[in-house]
Amino acid sequence: MLWFLALCVAVPVQALAADPLPSWNDGPVKQSIIDFVTRSTTEGSPGFIPPEERIATFDNDGTLWQEQPVVQGVFLKEQVEALVKEDASLARKQPFKAVLEGDLALLSTMDEPELMALFAATHKGKTQEAFAAEARAFFQSARHPKFGAPYTQLAYAPMLELLQYLRAHGFQTWISSGGGTDFMRVISEDTYGIPPQQVIGSDLRVRFDDGGGHAVLRREAKVDHVNDKAGKPVGIGQHIGLRPVFAAGNVRSGGDIQMLQYTKEQPRPGFTLLINHDDAEREFAYQEKDDASLKAARVGGWTVVSMRQDWKRIFPEGR
């Protein structure tokens, strides 16, 4: 018994518990996350958050998985190729021409409105079921050009742990991304443990069609909502009805700034996490031209994650 008491003295109590974030290096970022979760779930604590208000929203591309290239852009390339078989003139028009030429750099720099405009052109008239089937087939066969792995295996290990850690403490985890809602819903539960009804994204307008006695929802060639930048708080308000108390985004296009501002600036300040892609060796290194997200992080007091310094590993083991 004396050896056990000696061990308790030598090792901090928190070290005896299982590490909830083993893929995160010990340091200020990891500790700030644990401190927030501890405060917000401890009754009587000044930072206690009632369970019904524990809403956490996450961007997808570049926050939960890699975005070089944007996965939805690669999927669109396949769809454009099929479209050009029906209308060859599209092969000479932009952005169809660049997409067909396999310009992954272009796909990686396209903003959400451009991607959604392509979606409108390639998916008009299709039923939601037909679109979901095409997306599932894509995820079964597509491989990342650099890593050679299915895109669903390129979710970030530290973020998967964070999602699980939050859910274990009563948080609802939502995706709020500029990507297509129906595209992300195909993989959200299997990849992240987030059910499809907790995915908010950009949408095409759909209409009800009962022609032929078979009721379906059919996609139209018109964008209904772009869930990017200022559109993210709007989408969150419409789908959740509560401000998040935890939000995570990433550096790339400034698309997550407003969601993080919306989370941070409230009567009970929320926790805001910004992923900085600065690890060219294990993943990619890229910045915004104007550093808008990092500047907003400094002004807003957000927690900035250095992938190079704060993450022990990028992708799950066995990837």
Side-chain angles (χ1 to χ4, degrees), residues 130-141:
F131 172 79
E134 291 175 355
R136 290 191 189 95
F138 165 80
F139 281 113
Q140 289 173 359
S141 62

Side-chain angles (χ1 to χ4, degrees), residues 149-162:
Y151 288 102
T152 51
Q153 291 183 15
L154 298 177
Y156 299 136
M159 298 304 285
L160 294 177
E161 293 169 1
L162 177 56

Side-chain angles (χ1 to χ4, degrees), residues 1 17 22 29 32 43 49 59 67 74 117 153 168 194 223 231 233 277 291 301 314:
M1 190 66 179
V29 171
S32 67
E43 291 196 43
I49 300 173
D59 173 56
E67 63 176 354
V74 180
Q153 291 183 15
I194 297 177
V223 176
H277 290 263
D291 278 340
I314 304 293

